[in-house]
Structures are given as structure tokens and as C-alpha cells.
Amino acid sequence: MNKVDTSFLHKDQFGQDFLWGVSTAAFQIEGAHDADGKGSSIWDVFTSQKGKIKNGHHALTACDFYNSYQNDIDLINELNIPNFRFSISWPRIMPTGTHPVNQGGIDYYNKIIDSLLASGIEPWITLYHWDLPHDLEVKGGWTNRESVSWFSEYVAVCAQYFGDRVKNWMVINEPSVFTGAGYFLGIHAPGKKGITNYLKAMHHVTLATAAGAKKLRNLIPDANIGTTFSCTHIEPFSQSPKDIEAAKRVDTLLNRTFIEPILGLGYPQADLPVLKKLNNYILEDDLNNLAFEFDFIGLQCYTREVVKSSLLIPYIGAELISAEKRNVIATDMGWEVYPPALYHVLKKFNSYNIKKIIITENGAAFPDILKNGKVYDIKRTHYIQDHLEQILKAKKDGYNVDGYFVWSLTDNFEWAEGYNARFGLIHVDFDTQQRTIKHSGLWFRDFLS
Ligand code: FCB
């Protein structure tokens, strides 16, 4: 790939109202897995099981954000980042998933919110970033239709305690990833497998997204309410009709299945026939209850996928050809570095009727080296710059995009990858919890100044 000259990048080119931020998630940073009355989440249980996480890593301490939050908030300030996205751990607020409320959890998030506001940083809360209370998983988790009311109950508590100060909310993070990895493939918590678990979880999560958003709207009428979707630019491996059809099915699964019902378009069953099985779980009024008019949609894009037809892969009849097999530059996650994906995704999602689009995650994992107190992560710096350039290109072409949040503030616990995949603007030594701002962080700081 030719290097793009991004030296001309300037914040003002994005407009005065463009939102700049950084994103995190509770389980990936907090640690303090049982502090102050917190209950277990499905990720606490999953990480304690042998062989689930690379190198046997766990998140008992993670980045110790629970205790060192003030230091990290000071760092956000130092980096001139005006918006901080973090998630609330449901089992900290409600250890068993439903009432009673744990005051220890409420106190903790109050401290975070107050500290952010005191520093002039706007809090953006994600209500669900994958850490379902384990007690609810025992009852079937997202495969149980009652999950919709469990979730609404939890959302109401968060709105009640934090809604006086927090304006910006995201209901659910990347439903397609946690249902696909956690309920179909079994490689993420809770480790369930199979099409039945997957489709049930899909439908209940989609219902819960709309139900949670409505709850927020009722309880905090002036809230800025969004939800986030993972998305990826899809290309066929060849121009053969089979590969083109396969690419269309993968595009339907990864980019359309979760957002279209929310937008009032129903599930895209015609383009992905396996979704017809959802009809077993869709009750009479459901289709009317799936839609919600969000103030913004958060898109999270990291790469593109190249797709080949394959009769061997059930339900989807398609295979993703990895970056390694294609011999292209990739990150530590094995994800191809392909900045134009962001442009294509923005173009695609602009064809929907969406009020505002914010890129709520984008970033890269590379093997960073701490040397003489410095981390020269030039690849990450370029990754971010090149993606910002694609945003500018999209804006020039008239596509709506209102903000950009980097994933992530610090290196953290990257789910099944453990601590190997480092995404931070700030390096973490996980033995000492020492933070070091990387070159990418320093560049972002100067860019935002
Ligand atoms: C997204 C997740 C986030 C992080 C990044 C790398 O899918 O939302 O928690 O793991 O990927």
C-alpha cells in the first residue's frame, strides 16, 4: 500500500462540531473483579476456564482502572481528548443482574463521572459492553427472552442514578460480535454454540436495544442516545457470480442484520435465508418494537473482509480469506490494514436514514516496544492518520460523519487475545501498571491542541 502524506491533517478541516474522543470498556480496563459488592460477569467466568484466553491471561486486575481512574483521567486531559467513552459493568450495579442495586457500584461510577466533568471531559456511557451478570447467564442469558426486561430494569437504574449528569449514551456495543462469538462460535463468553442460541440471542439483543433506548428516552428526555455496530467493508475474492453472491451474504450478516430492524426495516431475510429461522422466536408485536429513532449511530470499523464462496461453511456458504493468506499488511489481530474501508463504510451507512454517524471505535494493535521510556509506534500513528484522511474524503464527498473515537486509551485486556494485542495510545506495563504515552498519543495530543 502506498503511504499517504498526512502531514497536512488539521483538526479544523473536520469542522468545529466534530467530536473527538477515546473509547474503552469496563471489563477490559477495570480489574477489581469482586470489589465493593460486584457480582461475577460471564467474562469473569469465561476467563477462569482453562484454554479460553491466549496464554491463560485473565482480567482480575486488567489496567486497574478501578483504582487508578484518576490518573487515567488526568492522562485523557493531558492528551487534550474532550470525550471519554467507557462502559458500565452491569454486575457492579446489580450483582445478580436485577434488583437489588449495589451502592458500591453506583458510588464508583459517580466518582468517574464527577471526575470527568471536573476535568472538562464529556462522559459517553456504553450500557452493555459484553459483561452480562453471570446469574443471568445461568437463566439462559441472551437466549432467554426475559433478558429484554432484565436489561430494561438495569438501564432504568443507570438512567436514574447517572442521567442528571450524563448526556451521551450508547445502549449496546457491537451486537453482531458478541452474539456471533459468544453464542454461535463459542470463542467469547459465555462460550455457547450453535444456530439456535445465536438466533435467539440476536433477536433478544435487538429487542433489548430498542427497549433500553426507549427507557432512556423516557427517563432522560434530553439525552443524546445512540448504539454501536461493528461494520466492515466487504469485497468478493473474484468477480465470479458465486463470490459476488457470497460477499453479499456476508455483507448482510456483518453489516445489515442488526441495524436494519432497529431502523424499522426488519431483518434482511431475503438476502440471508437462514434468518428466516428467526420467525420461530419473533412474537406478534415484536416487529413494531424493534425500531427506535436513535440520535446517533456509532460505527466501529477496523478493516475490510475479502469473501469467497464456500459450500463447506454452513448457513452462509462463504469463507473470509485472511490477510495472511492474501499476503497483505495486517495488525496483531490479523486484520488487514486497509484505511479505505472506513470511506466505503461511511458511504454505505449514509444510504440509510440515520441522523448522525459517529465512528465510536477505530484503532490498531501492533507489537509496541518500550525503550528508554518511549514507545515509537509509528504504525499506529499512521493507521490513525490514514483513517482520518478517509473521513475527510467522505466528508468532502458529502457523507455524514460527526465524530471519531480512537480505540483505545490504554493497552488493555483484548478479550480472547488477552494482553498480547496492544491497542492503546498509552502503553501499560501490566506488571507495574506504569503508563507511558506512545508516539501516537503524543501525535493525537498535538493534533487536538
Ligand atoms: C471491538 C470491541 C472492543 C475492542 C476492539 C478491538 O470489537 O468493541 O471492545 O475489543 O474491537
Side-chain angles (χ1 to χ4, degrees), residues 47 94 109 127 186 213 233 236 245 285 320 331 374 398 414 418 437:
T47 47
M94 296 168 119
Y109 289 108
L127 285 161
H233 176 54
E245 279 303 310
D285 233 13
L320 306 181
T331 68
K374 292 196 168 130
E414 177 48 40
I437 301 177

Side-chain angles (χ1 to χ4, degrees), residues 28 129-130 173-174 300 302 335 361 407 414-415 423:
Q28 296 179 271
H129 203 126
W130 306 358
N173 182 68
E174 295 193 350
Q300 321 200 138
Y302 289 88
W335 299 343
E361 282 185 25
W407 182 271
E414 177 48 40
W415 312 111
F423 274 93

Side-chain angles (χ1 to χ4, degrees), residues 3 47 64 97 188 199 244 284 361 365 398 410 418:
K3 269 261 43 61
T47 47
D64 198 32
H188 275 191
L199 292 175
I244 290 174
E284 212 182 307
E361 282 185 25
T410 57

